[in-house]
Amino acid sequence: MCIKKKLLIDCRMLHNSGIGVYTEQIIQQIIKYPFLTVKLLINEDQEKNVLESYPGIELVMTKYNRYDFRNLYFNNYKLKDFDFYFVPFLSVMPLYVPRVKIISTIHDLCPIHLRKIFGWKNGCIYWILMLIQLLSSKKIIAISNFTKDQLSYYYMGLFDSKIAVIYNGVTERLCTINEDSPMKELHLESERFGIVVGNVKPHKNVIQLIEYCCQNSHLFNFKLIVIGQLDGFRTKVNNEKISSGNIIFTGKVSDEQLVNFYQNASFFVYPSLYEGFGLPLLEAMYYNLKIFASDIEIFKEIAGPKISYFNPHSFDGLIDSINYYLDSDCPKNYSYSDVLSKYTWFNTGKETVEYIVN
């Protein structure tokens, strides 16, 4: 009889940004494998939400958040009965747990690579935390070749032999038009508009894009919808600029409302200075949108020549390119099926399980 292997998945970032999406999708795939007994490590204040999402899975509680240095010792007794401990994000790791194999996912090295933006102190702390995680992990998953190359560069190739690249997948959100469509409320029913999905974190570069668009709003033949927490943008952008008629801030929206924007938009703008992967890129492809994205290495790895690129520092020619696209006779419904077929959560889950247990 086959003995089930015991796997503990650290879920302290569940329902939290892109890493939360990654964790959620990985759980949904891994629990399908009958030779694994899966349990979830969570903070105590997550219990209600996690039980609603995964009613049949046993939970393991901890008092400590992922950056608490008590993780070095005080969670060890919770891990000792498991064969594998899977950590899908940066965290303070247990120093030593006999017999337990630790597998970590590294998404990006943004604070290290952009230390001039995030600060040298933050970059150094991030580098040290990641070094501890790399040393503690038996195996490491990088979500792109770009992330693997960054790990190799910043840690001098010391961990290359235990790094595998396993790509993310496209998240197929709800595809039905919701009755509370925001199009009417924002007077967009007959408008041509593009969307930006982001926040005020420096590497997302949304603030700089907004400032560029505000300075050149007289050239617009379209509206630009910025989807993200409104308060964050109000602290960074002058209120007078926010009231520009061609730039509209939605604030935080539901998944259903976001789908409405994807389905009704004419194009998608992705201005990031740095990403480890970039899930919104695949989401925009899933909805067949024309994509204007930063000319950065990771986007070229994922999308190749299928999308249009611009300089994320100067934005030179971006508005002209959008206007030309909107006013030309070129097809307005793009197909990215050949790209999307490479990135599925089924494949991500399958490759992850094989890498963990073999």
Side-chain angles (χ1 to χ4, degrees):
M1 185 174 67
C2 180
I3 299 175
K4 285 191 171 186
K5 296 291 186 179
K6 298 178 180 178
L7 169 65
L8 181 65
I9 303 177
D10 198 323
C11 296
R12 285 176 286 180
M13 287 289 286
L14 196 63
H15 305 136
N16 190 324
S17 70
I19 294 176
V21 172
Y22 174 86
T23 306
E24 178 184 356
Q25 295 294 330
I26 284 292
I27 294 170
Q28 290 177 7
Q29 298 300 322
I30 287 180
I31 59 177
K32 298 175 183 177
Y33 291 84
F35 54 84
L36 288 174
T37 298
V38 178
K39 298 183 181 181
L40 310 181
L41 179 69
I42 63 169
N43 288 123
E44 293 173 351
D45 59 0
Q46 293 177 281
E47 183 175 7
K48 181 180 177 182
N49 288 336
V50 176
L51 280 173
E52 290 175 355
S53 300
Y54 307 101
I57 302 182
E58 187 174 336
L59 306 180
V60 178
M61 304 294 186
T62 180
K63 298 178 181 178
Y64 314 121
N65 68 47
R66 63 175 176 142
Y67 290 138
D68 193 316
F69 276 90
R70 287 173 289 186
N71 287 308
L72 290 168
Y73 302 102
F74 292 109
N75 281 332
N76 289 19
Y77 74 95
K78 299 178 186 291
L79 306 179
K80 62 183 179 62
D81 294 328
F82 291 91
D83 297 293
F84 308 105
Y85 174 40
F86 179 42
V87 187
F89 47 75
L90 183 68
S91 175
V92 174
M93 305 295 285
L95 277 182
Y96 177 66
V97 186
R99 199 183 65 82
V100 180
K101 294 179 181 177
I102 299 175
I103 301 92
S104 294
T105 296
I106 305 300
H107 296 265
D108 62 69
L109 288 79
C110 188
I112 300 172
H113 187 73
L114 298 182
R115 55 197 175 276
K116 290 183 180 179
I117 294 176
F118 284 85
W120 284 84
K121 180 180 177 181
N122 289 332
C124 289
I125 293 172
Y126 198 93
W127 187 91
I128 293 168
L129 284 176
M130 187 165 289
L131 175 62
I132 295 171
Q133 185 155 4
L134 296 171
L135 289 168
S136 301
S137 300
K138 182 76 173 177
K139 296 180 178 181
I140 300 159
I141 296 170
I143 63 170
S144 63
N145 280 305
F146 172 71
T147 295
K148 181 181 180 181
D149 291 344
Q150 291 258 291
L151 283 168
S152 182
Y153 177 78
Y154 285 108
Y155 293 94
M156 297 169 287
L158 294 175
F159 306 102
D160 287 1
S161 62
K162 58 180 180 179
I163 300 175
V165 174
I166 301 177
Y167 286 114
N168 290 345
V170 58
T171 304
E172 299 180 7
R173 296 175 186 261
L174 184 64
C175 290
T176 56
I177 294 289
N178 195 292
E179 290 183 1
D180 66 343
S181 171
M183 301 304 119
K184 187 178 237 183
E185 181 182 341
L186 296 175
H187 308 292
L188 295 172
E189 302 101 311
S190 59
E191 294 280 356
R192 300 186 302 181
F193 68 88
I195 58 174
V196 181
V197 180
N199 55 48
V200 296
K201 291 179 180 178
H203 68 286
K204 296 297 183 182
N205 206 33
V206 176
I207 297 301
Q208 287 69 28
L209 173 66
I210 293 168
E211 291 177 347
Y212 164 78
C213 289
C214 287
Q215 293 166 6
N216 296 277
S217 61
H218 60 287
L219 301 175
F220 276 33
N221 290 331
F222 55 87
K223 292 186 183 295
L224 189 66
I225 313 302
V226 181
I227 301 171
Q229 190 64 45
L230 183 60
D231 290 343
F233 290 116
R234 285 195 180 280
T235 61
K236 299 287 185 178
V237 184
N238 185 288
N239 282 340
E240 184 178 336
K241 291 180 179 179
I242 283 182
S243 63
S244 171
N246 289 325
I247 302 172
I248 299 173
F249 294 78
T250 67
K252 187 175 182 180
V253 301
S254 67
D255 278 355
E256 291 82 3
Q257 290 174 324
L258 181 57
V259 166
N260 275 284
F261 283 113
Y262 273 126
Q263 290 181 320
N264 288 280
S266 298
F267 60 91
F268 180 83
V269 182
Y270 205 170
S272 290
L273 295 172
Y274 184 105
E275 295 286 344
F277 188 85
L279 285 174
L281 191 67
L282 295 187
E283 289 185 350
M285 287 184 178
Y286 180 76
Y287 291 100
N288 301 316
L289 290 178
K290 170 68 176 177
I291 298 170
F292 299 90
S294 298
D295 188 0
I296 58 177
E297 188 175 337
I298 182 57
F299 291 166
K300 291 187 172 182
E301 178 181 342
I302 301 302
K306 287 285 187 176
I307 65 176
S308 297
Y309 297 97
F310 60 86
N311 184 320
H313 301 283
S314 67
F315 303 101
D316 283 349
L318 175 58
I319 292 178
D320 289 339
S321 296
I322 295 172
N323 284 335
Y324 177 80
Y325 162 70
L326 292 174
D327 295 335
S328 70
D329 294 328
C330 62
K332 298 297 188 286
N333 193 14
Y334 283 73
S335 174
Y336 302 97
S337 56
D338 54 336
V339 176
L340 293 174
S341 64
K342 302 176 187 176
Y343 307 107
T344 70
W345 286 115
F346 174 82
N347 289 340
T348 304
K350 181 175 180 290
E351 292 175 27
T352 300
V353 169
E354 290 174 351
Y355 189 57
I356 288 174
V357 302
N358 291 336

